[in-house]
Amino acid sequence: ETVHASLGIESLELSLADCTLSNPAYDFAGTFIYPVNIEPNKFKLAVESALAIYPIFAARFRPDDFTMHMSNEGIYFETKSTKGVADEDASEDRINGLYDKTLKERHEEFKANCSLRLTNFSSKAFLSFNMRHVCGDGDSFFSFMHTISEAYEGKPLSRRPPRLSRLPNGGWPKMDH
């Protein structure tokens, strides 16, 4: 099943003309492994709640004019349950084999800044993600994921702005990407 969470806003354009990232469309990806199954519909509602706080994750980056477009298009979210497959047989290849395309391929087709894939095995859940670096750093993404967890557990949602702090010399931290 393929669903997407929506933003609840009409349309918004953000200019990134002052962005100093050498490759703002750079993607980073990974997989979280949870020791329990995650209920897909409840998780989708939690993602929708988190997007209300972090709408930048649903934006579309346009490299031709260096802008981000936000609308009601939402993010790509796909889920499968394979309760008959033992947890020890779960692997990235096994997960990719369950779907007709890799998450990276779906991410490129859908064009949102973030895509999620939830795969439940016997007693574990694998949450794969793909995110464009232009919408935030790793800390921003983990704040987004923490907000999803809060919503999933029915807790009050907290706002965690990215912790971007300057170095003592006034510059920004640099790292190779």
Side-chain angles (χ1 to χ4, degrees):
E1 175 187 7
T2 302
V3 295
H4 69 273
S6 65
L7 281 170
I9 61 172
E10 192 78 21
S11 182
L12 177 66
E13 297 285 330
L14 299 174
S15 174
L16 301 172
D18 295 331
C19 180
T20 58
L21 287 172
S22 59
N23 187 359
Y26 171 80
D27 287 356
F28 67 92
T31 301
F32 297 107
I33 302 172
Y34 297 91
V36 296
N37 279 186
I38 296 173
E39 201 281 303
N41 290 327
K42 185 177 175 184
F43 186 80
K44 178 187 175 279
L45 293 173
V47 171
E48 289 175 347
S49 296
L51 283 174
I53 296 171
Y54 297 94
I56 197 77
F57 287 98
R60 271 64 173 164
F61 176 62
R62 295 181 181 155
D64 54 322
D65 63 359
F66 225 56
T67 62
M68 261 210 265
H69 177 75
M70 290 197 284
S71 68
N72 265 335
E73 294 175 275
I75 69 168
Y76 180 80
F77 174 67
E78 184 173 37
T79 183
K80 283 211 190 241
S81 181
T82 58
K83 304 240 180 192
V85 178
D87 293 333
E88 58 270 8
D89 293 333
S91 68
E92 188 174 345
D93 288 339
R94 180 69 171 228
I95 291 170
N96 284 333
L98 297 171
Y99 299 90
D100 62 338
K101 294 189 177 184
T102 67
L103 184 57
K104 173 95 174 133
E105 290 169 325
R106 289 286 190 210
H107 183 68
E108 290 305 318
E109 287 174 2
F110 204 73
K111 305 210 183 304
N113 281 337
C114 182
S115 297
L116 299 171
R117 176 178 277 170
L118 174 64
T119 308
N120 282 309
F121 283 86
S122 291
S123 62
K124 289 183 181 175
F126 290 72
L127 179 63
S128 303
F129 66 89
N130 203 305
M131 185 192 106
R132 283 194 177 75
H133 208 317
V134 72
C135 71
D137 58 5
D139 190 53
S140 302
F141 181 72
F142 286 108
S143 294
F144 175 62
M145 291 303 300
H146 185 79
T147 302
I148 292 172
S149 295
E150 289 173 330
Y152 186 84
E153 294 172 0
K155 295 179 179 176
L157 303 185
S158 57
R159 294 176 184 255
R160 289 178 169 69
R163 291 187 299 256
L164 297 175
S165 57
R166 291 184 178 250
L167 297 172
N169 67 4
W172 291 101
K174 301 261 189 241
M175 64 180 357
D176 293 331
H177 285 74

